Amino acid sequence: MQQTYIKENLVVKMQEDLKRALQKPMNKRSWIMVIDTDKCIGCNACVVSCIAENVSPPGVSYRVVNDIEDGEYPEVSRYFMPTNCQQCDNPPCIEGIPEDAYTKRADGILVFHYDKLKGKKLFQKVENQCPYTAVYYDEGTFYTANTPKLEPYETRPSYEYGEEWSRVGKGQSPINAVRKCHFCLHRLEASMLPACVTTCVGRAMYFGDKNDTDNVVNKLLKNRKWVLINESEGTKPRVFYLTGTILNKETCMTCHG
Ligand code: SF4
Ligand code: SF4
């Protein structure tokens, strides 16, 4: 299995898988992400591409690559743990939130409606309820504030959830909204993989339709062991972590049982 995969270009294969999935009605596909921590080299290229894709301001990064040290000298190990919103099927973050502020799509993606999910108070509620620290508040700041002019990379629009958002000018804005990863829904609907997946330098990131038994993600899940983080909390996350030489079920479950 590993041999076969080394010979194939997995990004091209996942791209083909994606196109096949998009031919089906939305309620027949089920998006999942698979992460292989054995392959993550902690380069943060995925974080940079995510920030660029979504025009995220200071303090907002839908992806975080945790640098984890385990054990005590001389038996110490270090590994990297990329995380983002898990698009939970039973999401605790939305408890008590106005129903028109979010949509759980049939393909699994949890949409936050920026025009309805605004303000610090709502943010704090959502943040406190998310066990994955996956939500962020857009304070309206800019990396190039207090310089002669804002740079175009900060003033250009983003296209989250398939709509145009602008952090300057009169258009609809994500400022003061609760923001999070959405599996790059706007890219998916344009037949492109999420930015983090295409950028991943270590080929640690995979994406596809859980309902397609013949695709890359399902072959990985069939041939490797995996864990879901915080599974016992009943959140039903859609991000699968392959276990291997670094990560294993026992070590994960110490903190995330
Ligand atoms: S990871 Fe957090 S923000 Fe994302 S769906 Fe689950 S509970 Fe909600
Ligand atoms: S780009 Fe890939 S290898 Fe680099 S930190 Fe992100 S997940 Fe890890």
Side-chain angles (χ1 to χ4, degrees):
M1 154 81 187
Q2 286 286 48
Q3 287 293 326
T4 315
Y5 270 80
I6 287 164
K7 282 180 205 155
E8 282 179 311
N9 182 326
L10 288 181
V11 176
V12 172
K13 181 81 176 59
M14 283 189 282
Q15 194 68 55
E16 289 164 2
D17 293 346
L18 180 68
K19 284 193 177 146
R20 202 165 55 246
L22 287 169
Q23 283 166 6
K24 300 191 285 187
M26 195 209 292
N27 64 354
K28 298 286 178 205
R29 53 183 189 254
S30 176
W31 298 127
I32 58 164
M33 192 169 264
V34 176
I35 301 179
D36 188 349
T37 51
D38 267 7
K39 289 192 177 168
C40 178
I41 56 171
C43 64
N44 278 285
C46 55
V47 175
V48 174
S49 72
C50 174
I51 289 171
E53 179 68 35
N54 296 298
V55 196
S56 310
V60 177
S61 175
Y62 299 165
R63 277 181 75 69
V64 173
V65 180
N66 294 300
D67 184 341
I68 297 168
E69 222 176 81
D70 200 18
E72 279 183 31
Y73 178 83
E75 292 192 20
V76 184
S77 64
R78 182 186 179 202
Y79 59 95
F80 303 100
M81 190 78 179
T83 64
N84 47 259
C85 171
Q86 314 270 311
Q87 317 298 340
C88 306
D89 281 344
N90 187 21
C93 60
I94 57 172
E95 218 177 292
I97 299 299
E99 280 184 19
D100 60 355
Y102 62 87
T103 303
K104 179 67 172 166
R105 286 167 50 104
D107 59 10
I109 293 175
L110 179 66
V111 173
F112 278 2
H113 299 298
Y114 289 164
D115 53 335
K116 300 276 171 27
L117 203 48
K118 279 208 170 189
K120 267 258 160 87
K121 217 169 150 192
L122 267 182
F123 164 68
Q124 275 155 2
K125 187 168 176 53
V126 177
E127 185 192 33
N128 289 340
Q129 293 178 160
C130 169
Y132 300 93
T133 55
V135 294
Y136 299 86
Y137 186 65
D138 189 333
E139 301 267 5
T141 53
F142 292 86
Y143 287 103
T144 50
N146 304 319
T147 65
K149 73 173 177 61
L150 296 178
E151 290 297 325
Y153 71 82
E154 294 204 85
T155 55
R156 68 193 167 83
S158 67
Y159 295 93
E160 296 173 72
Y161 305 116
E163 293 179 49
E164 185 169 311
W165 303 93
S166 176
R167 301 188 71 253
V168 291
K170 290 198 176 135
Q172 54 174 3
S173 169
I175 290 177
N176 296 330
V178 186
R179 300 179 64 176
K180 68 167 189 67
C181 164
H182 37 77
F183 279 179
C184 275
L185 178 58
H186 58 292
R187 287 176 60 97
L188 297 178
E189 297 199 326
S191 292
M192 291 188 287
L193 292 163
C196 58
V197 176
T198 49
T199 313
C200 181
V201 174
R203 188 44 47 229
M205 297 295 306
Y206 302 90
F207 187 84
D209 173 16
K210 183 87 169 67
N211 292 343
D212 178 352
T213 50
D214 195 36
N215 62 7
V216 170
V217 285
N218 271 307
K219 282 179 185 166
L220 284 166
L221 296 181
K222 195 170 155 216
N223 288 287
R224 296 272 304 271
K225 291 194 169 128
W226 45 266
V227 290
L228 295 167
I229 304 297
N230 292 336
E231 190 177 12
S232 63
E233 293 190 25
T235 52
K236 300 189 178 162
R238 286 177 171 265
V239 179
F240 293 72
Y241 287 85
L242 301 179
T243 58
T245 54
I246 300 169
L247 196 69
N248 62 61
K249 192 141 191 161
E250 286 68 42
T251 50
C252 283
M253 292 308 121
T254 312
C255 304
H256 302 285

